[in-house]
């Protein structure tokens, strides 16, 4: 658990060069002292009150369950600065007109990456796609709506099958149509790992690598997404051709309502 007092104390201990099992755990969870400072600011400015437990430790980021001042759960995604594959990230940043003249050092790239996930979520949320509502991005930290119930994170499509497959698929295609053709964002990492199931309906997550159509590789990323979508739906017993999917997504995205 990290609240403002503890974060303050940890910053001091870190700067003292303390090497202990406890500090090693902190390093594994929140990575570095600059991230502790960022968390401190987010707490000071009342975006969050405390981080509770780690929900996910990934290659590029850790995700925590946190609590905001009204007592609601929020999700806090912290990108690793040191070990992130920033060469790989560059491919998804370079050519995005929203972020030009990005400095090519680690910390700037990661900061812009978190901002990109924020902007993508914002655009998709506004377009009515089912994604977590973004709250703020600061440095390598993104705060967003917690997807789950009673503090328990929603499972991934990878791990559970929806009860009402027809309804689930319908909502998924509607959300993706809105994402690609109303918000104008290509997810670029669509998979059953990045779709959560809340109340038997999809919530699409992990939009950091998402790019707008203006990006030079958007079409390539889009083709890959659609092929993965086709395979995913086939696993759910729903067979579509790529051509059929394109028509459905476009109709859904461009329709009104
Ligand atoms: N907003 C959220 N609410 C609840 N759980 C989340 C949220 N965002 C991510 N998670 C959990 O954290 C995991 C990793 O998040 P993701 O954004 O996919 O990052 P990664 O880059 O590590 O794949 C997800 O599979 C999910 O279990
Ligand atoms: Mg993911």
């Amino acid at each position: 658990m990290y609240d403002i007092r503890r974060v303050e104390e940890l910053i001091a201990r870190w700067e003292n060069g303390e090497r202990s099992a406890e500090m090693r755990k902190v390093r594994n969870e929140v990575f570095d002292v600059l991230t502790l400072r960022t968390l401190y600011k987010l707490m000071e400015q009342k975006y969050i009150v405390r981080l509770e437990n780690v929900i996910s430790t990934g290659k590029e980021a850790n995700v925590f369950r946190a609590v905001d001042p009204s007592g609601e759960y929020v999700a806090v995604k912290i990108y690793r600065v040191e070990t992130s594959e920033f060469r790989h990230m560059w491919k998804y940043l370079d050519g995005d007109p929203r972020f030009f003249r990005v400095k090519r050092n680690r910390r700037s790239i990661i900061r812009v990456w978190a901002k990109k996930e924020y902007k993508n979520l914002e655009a998709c949320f506004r377009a009515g796609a089912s994604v977590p509502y973004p709250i703020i991005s600061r440095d390598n930290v993104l705060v967003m709506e917690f997807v789950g119930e009673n503090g328990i994170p929603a499972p991934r499509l990878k791990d559970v099958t929806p009860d009402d497959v027809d309804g689930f698929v319908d909502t998924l295609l509607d959300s993706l149509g809105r994402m690609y053709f109303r918000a104008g964002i290509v997810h670029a990492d669509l998979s059953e790992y990045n779709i959560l199931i809340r109340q038997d309906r999809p919530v699409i997550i992990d939009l950091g690598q998402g790019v707008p159509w203006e990006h030079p590789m958007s079409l390539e990323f889009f083709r890959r997404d659609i092929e993965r979508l086709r395979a995913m739906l086939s696993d759910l017993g729903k067979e579509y051709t790529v051509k059929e999917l394109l028509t459905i997504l476009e109709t859904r995205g461009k329709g009104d309502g």
Side-chain angles (χ1 to χ4, degrees):
M1 197 279 290
Y2 300 84
D3 62 10
I4 194 161
R5 289 286 143 260
R6 182 159 147 79
V7 168
E8 196 173 22
E9 178 203 315
L10 288 170
I11 291 171
R13 288 166 63 185
W14 194 301
E15 289 182 336
N16 258 326
E18 177 178 327
R19 281 188 179 65
S20 59
E22 194 188 347
M23 292 309 279
R24 212 169 315 123
K25 181 160 182 274
V26 171
R27 194 178 287 271
N28 284 333
E29 289 185 341
V30 302
F31 316 133
D32 52 44
V33 71
L34 287 174
T35 303
L36 282 174
R37 288 188 188 287
T38 301
L39 290 171
Y40 184 87
K41 281 189 215 132
L42 288 168
M43 290 170 178
E44 200 175 41
Q45 293 170 3
K46 307 266 190 277
Y47 286 103
I48 46 177
V49 169
R50 61 178 180 276
L51 300 193
E52 297 191 329
N53 54 310
V54 179
I55 302 169
S56 160
T57 56
K59 209 159 50 108
E60 256 143 31
N62 283 354
V63 179
F64 283 80
R65 186 183 78 183
V67 176
D68 78 4
S70 64
E72 298 281 333
Y73 290 119
V74 291
V76 174
K77 184 170 183 178
I78 304 180
Y79 281 99
R80 289 169 198 277
V81 175
E82 285 316 317
T83 53
S84 278
E85 295 229 19
F86 77 133
R87 227 181 299 269
H88 167 80
M89 289 176 153
W90 186 254
K91 194 168 110 184
Y92 293 80
L93 265 180
D94 192 24
D96 187 328
R98 296 171 301 175
F99 308 102
F100 55 97
R101 277 195 268 167
V102 179
K103 290 197 198 109
R104 278 186 92 147
N105 66 64
R106 254 170 211 284
R107 197 158 277 276
S108 311
I109 289 177
I110 308 292
R111 190 187 62 238
V112 174
W113 191 261
K115 170 117 306 180
K116 184 150 91 84
E117 177 153 28
Y118 177 94
K119 292 265 179 213
N120 288 342
L121 287 172
E122 186 182 45
C124 293
F125 189 87
R126 285 211 182 128
S130 176
V131 296
Y133 173 74
I135 298 166
I136 189 176
S137 86
R138 178 187 288 258
D139 299 325
N140 58 328
V141 178
L142 169 68
V143 183
M144 64 187 141
E145 177 187 352
F146 176 80
V147 181
E149 275 176 290
N150 305 319
I152 299 162
R156 304 172 301 183
L157 179 57
K158 175 77 193 157
D159 305 315
V160 294
T161 307
D163 295 327
D164 168 20
V165 172
D166 287 350
F168 181 89
V169 168
D170 191 64
T171 317
L172 180 61
L173 293 175
D174 191 70
S175 270
L176 290 172
R178 287 166 185 269
M179 181 178 288
Y180 295 121
F181 295 111
R182 193 169 295 193
I185 299 292
V186 175
H187 186 291
D189 191 21
L190 192 67
S191 77
E192 52 275 75
Y193 290 91
N194 288 333
I195 298 175
L196 304 182
I197 304 189
R198 176 176 59 190
Q199 291 173 339
D200 217 42
R201 288 291 182 265
V203 181
I204 303 159
I205 61 162
D206 207 358
L207 273 93
Q209 61 301 307
V211 298
W213 285 112
E214 292 82 1
H215 187 283
M217 291 174 78
S218 59
L219 202 56
E220 188 178 316
F221 298 149
F222 179 67
R223 287 211 183 92
R224 190 177 60 192
D225 275 3
I226 299 306
E227 177 46 36
R228 290 212 195 140
L229 174 64
R230 194 202 56 71
M232 216 165 14
L233 296 180
S234 172
D235 288 344
L236 290 169
K238 299 274 166 198
E239 301 297 342
Y240 293 93
T241 63
V242 164
K243 202 161 167 229
E244 285 167 339
L245 286 175
L246 285 177
T247 308
I248 297 170
L249 291 175
E250 221 170 328
T251 311
R252 293 301 193 89
K254 290 182 175 161
D256 22 60

